[in-house]
Amino acid sequence: MSSPHYLCPICRLALSSRDAGFRCNNNHHFDRAKEGYVNLLPVQHKHSKDPGDNKAMVLARRAFLEQGYYQPLIDKLTSLYQAHGDTHLPVLDAGCGEGYYTHQHKTDNNSVYGVDIAKNAVKIAAKRHKNCHFSVGTLSHLPFEDVFFGWIFSIYAPILEPEFTRVLKSGAYLLTVTPAEDHLFELKSLIYRQPQQHDTGKTPIKALTLIHEEKLNYQMDFTGPEDVINLLAMTPFAFKTSEELLEKIKAMTSFSCQADFHIRLYQKTG
């Protein structure tokens, strides 16, 4: 695998791979963890001691995704990448979590990067997917040089337009996945007396050209409580869950819930 291309998050100079880690010409040094990732999140970019998803959320998401419930989304993402992307250029999963989507974009020709603010998630990603480059970092200060990536994808992560457009090559693409109106509506109906549809009115990308937009909607059928509990635990709904509701879910023998995704593909045409 090729040597990764990173910028120093402190002084923005290029980092060179050396001494079992990375170092810039100003002598800022970042160790490579035993799992293979590098932590490029300096203290001044943290807003808490352990930012991002906590360990319980990360483990629940991994357990849920590995059951294949979001496979139709994976199929759609990779087909769009194959149809539009240059598979020789670097790819970035912005907000990669535990790397479930990241590694599925790896080809024989490209370099694939995943960055996330949650060290718990990146540690799992790097340990499991050795053919990708993973780093702990913030999307608001991406540790990559200008016009580096040919494809960026963002799944349920904050969309930081200035940074995403900065690191995209001219003619390259940004793909975003956000909740559509009815995503997990049945799950919300267990929690809220009057559940609301997702607000999909926001269109945050202005500097890029929208070239493709679609919705992906399908039903997920659960035959027991474990996967429902993991789905609940990996979402913000977990903080609204009472013990009474958990007991109700544990007693379920079946449950059906919509997956409803809004997919947009943008191109940097300038």
Side-chain angles (χ1 to χ4, degrees):
M1 190 168 63
S2 62
S3 179
H5 293 255
Y6 290 123
L7 287 185
C8 175
I10 297 172
C11 67
R12 311 301 287 173
L13 292 180
L15 288 173
S16 299
S17 180
R18 63 179 85 165
D19 302 330
F22 298 88
R23 190 182 300 273
C24 71
N25 285 341
N26 282 335
N27 216 32
H28 299 126
H29 182 262
F30 304 88
D31 292 327
R32 192 194 302 267
K34 63 181 180 182
E35 293 86 358
Y37 71 91
V38 58
N39 192 334
L40 299 176
L41 184 65
V43 174
Q44 57 267 40
H45 291 167
K46 287 185 177 183
H47 299 294
S48 65
K49 184 178 179 180
D50 190 20
D53 293 343
N54 61 44
K55 191 172 183 179
M57 291 181 74
V58 169
L59 293 177
R61 184 169 59 232
R62 181 178 70 168
F64 175 83
L65 292 174
E66 287 181 344
Q67 296 305 309
Y69 291 106
Y70 282 7
Q71 188 61 45
L73 176 60
I74 283 288
D75 294 342
K76 176 60 65 175
L77 296 181
T78 53
S79 68
L80 286 169
Y81 175 52
Q82 294 294 331
H84 295 274
D86 183 335
T87 56
H88 290 80
L89 294 177
V91 172
L92 174 64
D93 183 354
C96 65
E98 62 291 327
Y100 178 77
Y101 303 99
T102 321
H103 78 102
Q104 302 195 59
H105 286 74
K106 185 74 180 76
T107 71
D108 292 336
N109 303 311
N110 65 6
S111 296
V112 177
Y113 292 76
V115 63
D116 200 287
I117 201 169
K119 187 168 73 172
N120 291 316
V122 172
K123 185 181 294 187
I124 291 172
K127 190 173 183 179
R128 298 192 69 182
H129 307 300
K130 300 292 187 183
N131 60 346
C132 300
H133 304 292
F134 290 100
S135 57
V136 180
T138 172
L139 301 184
S140 60
H141 295 88
L142 287 170
F144 305 103
E145 62 191 41
D146 295 355
V147 295
F148 179 61
F149 292 104
W151 189 270
I152 299 176
F153 61 98
S154 169
I155 302 172
Y156 282 41
I159 299 170
L160 283 301
E161 182 178 352
E163 278 295 272
F164 287 7
T165 54
R166 177 184 68 80
V167 300
L168 269 180
K169 291 179 176 291
S170 179
Y173 298 89
L174 167 66
L175 187 148
T176 67
V177 179
T178 55
E181 290 88 349
D182 294 320
H183 188 58
L184 306 184
F185 189 80
E186 294 80 4
L187 186 66
K188 292 199 295 190
S189 297
L190 295 176
I191 302 167
Y192 301 105
R193 188 169 298 173
Q194 293 182 311
Q196 302 294 314
Q197 289 183 313
H198 280 284
D199 179 7
T200 61
K202 297 179 181 178
T203 53
I205 305 297
K206 298 177 181 178
L208 306 178
T209 301
L210 179 65
I211 64 166
H212 177 79
E213 183 174 13
E214 66 179 283
K215 283 182 62 177
L216 176 64
N217 179 283
Y218 58 91
Q219 181 171 291
M220 299 181 290
D221 295 318
F222 302 90
T223 57
E226 183 177 358
D227 293 337
V228 181
I229 291 171
N230 282 330
L231 174 60
L232 185 63
M234 75 186 218
T235 70
F237 304 145
F239 301 108
K240 302 282 188 180
T241 305
S242 65
E243 285 297 323
E244 181 183 1
L245 176 56
L246 275 178
E247 291 304 315
K248 180 180 177 181
I249 293 173
K250 288 176 183 178
M252 288 179 172
T253 56
S254 64
F255 179 68
S256 294
C257 184
Q258 291 180 80
D260 197 17
F261 304 107
H262 203 143
I263 300 167
R264 296 181 178 95
L265 182 64
Y266 301 87
Q267 187 175 26
K268 185 176 179 180
T269 55

